[in-house]
Amino acid sequence: RSNRDRYAYPNGSEIVCVWFDKPGKLLSADYDLALVDQAEQVNVSAIEHLLTRLRNNSGFDDKQLILVANPDSPAHWLLRWEEQGKLVRHRSVIQDNPLFWDSARGCFTRDGEAYMEKQSRLSGMNYRRYVLGEWCAAEGLIFAYDPSRHLIDAKLVRQDNRWNVQYAEGRTVALEWFACGVDWGDAKPGAIVVMGFDRDNRGYVVEQHYRVGVTTDDWAGVAESIDKRFSPVAFVCDSAEKDRIAIFNRRLGHRYGREVGSVAVRANKSVLSGISEMQEFIHNGQFHILRDSLAHPMDNKLREGLPRNLQEELLQYIWHKDSSTDLVLDRPDPRREDHAIDATRYLIMWVKDRRYPSNQLSEVQQFNSAVERMYR
């Protein structure tokens, strides 16, 4: 009821209705049981506030938080909590509702048939989420990234003085050369994406660094480590701050007293052109991400519920929609996280006109190895 937010019962129990517009106002309350409806629309910070309130001294010991949710993005924090063992998920389907499903006859009731007829008019993401119950990506996704195709169960192995992608079933793909994309970040996360390319110029994201609050010197240290292991032909960097690129080059290019290491270069930051190139790269089957490519534990400085790596960013990266006209605009939604995407976009834009045949690259690598031995 609009004029009542609590319901008292003769046994002393009480039901309290609370809105999540200001989760902080929960902090003065104590509850035995909490139920959140439409939990997929609630941010994780509000839920964590509520968890601290399950501490009533009523003698009811089975304190519980129940989250009722419709399917949402496969990168949603609810699924992440399930993966981490923080919650248990119980899936319900339309057949669980006796108003719509006659379990004795094994068919829909008249109300159920009418409801399903209306649901059949849904399309795309809405049909998959609300009829099939799938946690699927949002409509308006910018990239045709499909985890079942592009996220691969493989590991990077060193064999015969070269790097190979080894699939779980045993098949291997030799990587001919590497390049990296860099998005600096400050208050927001920064990212370095390392991609290896095979003989057919298919790209494999073999290593990711995704952190917040990292200094330029620390990023340069990460770049040095990458350089020593993979000898990438370039670190393609966000060009907004030239001083940072200069720091990278000082750290990368003079390891042996002369310029033999990787080089940091300025990225082409054209957003729509870069998106177009990346779309084509993904569509043509040239793009793969190793499932365990994140090179470090999840950064605990990252806000809970936001993406933690490239693959999670790709699943929430959508076109911007005008709120007044509902028209889709030709630019990404500025509220979506795109740090690893930007690093990958810079990289793909840089390599699109560059092809490094294995024999040419071998000569470069042989030269660098000879100089390294000379200065060792």
Side-chain angles (χ1 to χ4, degrees):
R1 299 179 184 178
S2 60
N3 63 339
R4 184 181 298 175
D5 62 6
R6 64 182 61 226
Y7 297 79
Y9 291 82
N11 67 355
S13 298
E14 193 173 38
I15 293 178
V16 181
C17 301
V18 180
W19 304 103
F20 269 143
D21 54 338
K22 296 180 180 178
K25 65 187 179 185
L26 293 168
L27 294 178
S28 60
D30 298 312
Y31 303 112
D32 292 304
L33 180 71
L35 183 144
V36 179
D37 200 16
Q38 300 292 146
E40 78 280 1
Q41 297 181 15
V42 180
N43 68 50
V44 70
S45 177
I47 297 298
E48 289 176 340
H49 272 88
L50 182 56
L51 275 171
T52 67
R53 302 299 93 201
L54 296 179
R55 61 177 192 177
N56 196 305
N57 294 321
S58 64
F60 181 78
D61 295 327
D62 190 18
K63 301 289 192 286
Q64 289 189 44
L65 172 63
I66 301 171
L67 306 173
V68 181
N70 286 312
D72 203 275
S73 164
H76 198 281
W77 67 264
L78 280 168
L79 294 188
R80 189 179 303 163
W81 273 27
E82 182 191 17
E83 293 173 1
Q84 296 170 349
K86 292 183 178 181
L87 57 79
V88 176
R89 177 158 60 120
H90 299 279
R91 183 172 182 266
S92 65
V93 294
I94 190 69
Q95 288 83 353
D96 294 328
N97 189 336
L99 177 65
F100 294 151
W101 182 260
D102 187 332
S103 58
R105 297 172 55 205
C107 63
F108 285 106
T109 64
R110 182 174 299 178
D111 287 331
E113 289 176 351
Y115 176 77
M116 292 304 294
E117 195 278 328
K118 293 178 181 177
Q119 295 294 94
S120 67
R121 301 173 190 173
L122 299 176
S123 61
M125 177 200 72
N126 288 333
Y127 184 83
R128 293 179 62 192
R129 286 184 177 179
Y130 304 134
V131 178
L132 302 181
E134 298 178 8
W135 289 71
C136 61
E139 286 186 333
L141 279 178
I142 292 177
F143 300 110
Y145 167 74
D146 180 353
S148 66
R149 293 177 52 224
H150 302 114
L151 189 62
I152 60 175
D153 291 309
K155 59 183 180 180
L156 192 64
V157 295
R158 184 79 168 169
Q159 294 176 337
D160 300 326
N161 203 34
R162 71 186 307 167
W163 289 104
N164 298 282
V165 172
Q166 186 176 74
Y167 284 79
E169 70 272 16
R171 178 170 63 93
T172 62
V173 176
L175 299 180
E176 304 288 338
W177 58 283
F178 294 86
C180 306
V182 181
D183 186 65
W184 302 112
D186 282 304
K188 290 187 175 182
I192 294 182
V193 174
V194 184
M195 189 175 291
F197 295 84
D198 66 13
R199 187 179 297 274
D200 298 314
N201 286 303
R202 289 187 292 259
Y204 298 80
V205 175
V206 298
E207 188 168 300
Q208 303 179 53
H209 298 261
Y210 195 97
R211 295 174 177 164
V212 65
V214 179
T215 67
T216 306
D217 280 336
D218 287 339
W219 277 132
V222 172
E224 281 187 304
S225 172
I226 292 169
D227 187 36
K228 291 175 182 177
R229 285 177 289 125
F230 302 117
S231 298
V233 294
F235 286 83
V236 189
C237 305
D238 182 348
S239 57
E241 299 181 44
K242 299 177 183 178
D243 291 346
R244 291 182 163 186
I245 296 177
I247 291 172
F248 259 46
N249 276 322
R250 283 198 297 271
R251 295 279 290 271
L252 291 169
H254 299 275
R255 284 192 290 122
Y256 309 109
R258 57 179 296 179
E259 295 185 9
V260 297
S262 303
V263 61
V265 299
R266 299 176 62 185
N268 179 343
K269 295 188 66 173
S270 174
V271 176
L272 291 181
S273 296
I275 285 175
S276 177
E277 292 293 340
M278 193 166 165
Q279 284 174 327
E280 183 177 357
F281 197 72
I282 294 174
H283 176 74
N284 291 342
Q286 294 174 274
F287 180 75
H288 308 277
I289 304 175
L290 273 63
R291 188 180 299 277
D292 296 325
S293 54
L294 191 64
H296 52 80
M298 186 188 75
D299 188 344
N300 57 17
K301 296 178 184 177
L302 291 169
R303 283 177 51 200
E304 184 70 68
L306 294 181
R308 304 165 297 175
N309 51 41
L310 173 60
Q311 52 267 40
E312 290 185 3
E313 283 192 358
L314 288 166
L315 288 170
Q316 53 84 62
Y317 196 53
I318 62 175
W319 294 111
H320 190 42
K321 184 179 287 189
D322 187 289
S323 58
S324 59
T325 64
D326 211 33
L327 294 176
V328 176
L329 307 178
D330 61 347
R331 62 177 183 269
D333 188 331
R335 298 166 296 181
R336 302 297 174 134
E337 303 297 311
D338 59 0
H339 318 292
I341 286 175
D342 281 351
T344 306
R345 175 167 59 85
Y346 302 154
L347 170 57
I348 290 174
M349 277 286 280
W350 190 83
V351 304
K352 70 184 181 71
D353 294 325
R354 295 172 172 84
R355 295 294 181 264
Y356 292 88
S358 58
N359 59 345
Q360 175 186 340
L361 194 68
S362 296
E363 292 173 4
V364 174
Q365 291 174 330
Q366 289 169 12
F367 171 77
N368 287 350
S369 297
V371 173
E372 180 176 349
R373 288 194 299 270
M374 180 173 64
Y375 282 91
R376 185 174 295 164

